[in-house]
Amino acid sequence: MKELKLGHRVKSKKDGRKGMVVGAQQKTGVSDFLVPIALEGSTRKELWPIDQFTLLPKPQQLLALGGKFNPPKGFPLNTK
């Protein structure tokens, strides 16, 4: 199981979309977990299976999580 914190930035293994962890992992089976993710640049939130995304590298994480990413105003809705 991944060590996820609120605000961690992640990337989908399937299609490369980026998002941010916005809630706690939810157990759905013996070893299955879904994680609520807010998609960057969208108002959409989705539940992603924990094995279908990866954490972005440390420098791309938020300042509060030890990274160097300083988000624009309105992030994650506004990504420019």
Side-chain angles (χ1 to χ4, degrees):
M1 186 163 50
K2 296 178 185 177
E3 288 294 324
L4 296 173
K5 295 182 181 177
L6 289 177
H8 263 147
R9 295 181 70 216
V10 297
K11 182 176 180 179
S12 170
K13 290 180 182 177
K14 288 179 85 174
D15 56 19
R17 292 181 297 165
K18 293 180 182 174
M20 177 185 291
V21 175
V22 292
Q25 301 174 25
Q26 302 169 12
K27 190 166 186 164
T28 60
V30 175
S31 62
D32 298 328
F33 289 89
L34 294 175
V35 179
I37 304 291
L39 300 178
E40 291 185 6
S42 173
T43 58
R44 185 177 177 101
K45 293 179 183 159
E46 297 179 353
L47 292 173
W48 286 3
I50 200 161
D51 62 342
Q52 292 185 9
F53 65 86
T54 60
L55 286 173
L56 288 175
K58 185 93 168 181
Q60 293 181 29
Q61 296 296 335
L62 297 171
L63 295 170
L65 295 171
K68 296 180 181 176
F69 180 71
N70 190 14
K73 184 176 181 180
F75 184 82
L77 302 178
N78 177 16
T79 57
K80 299 195 183 228

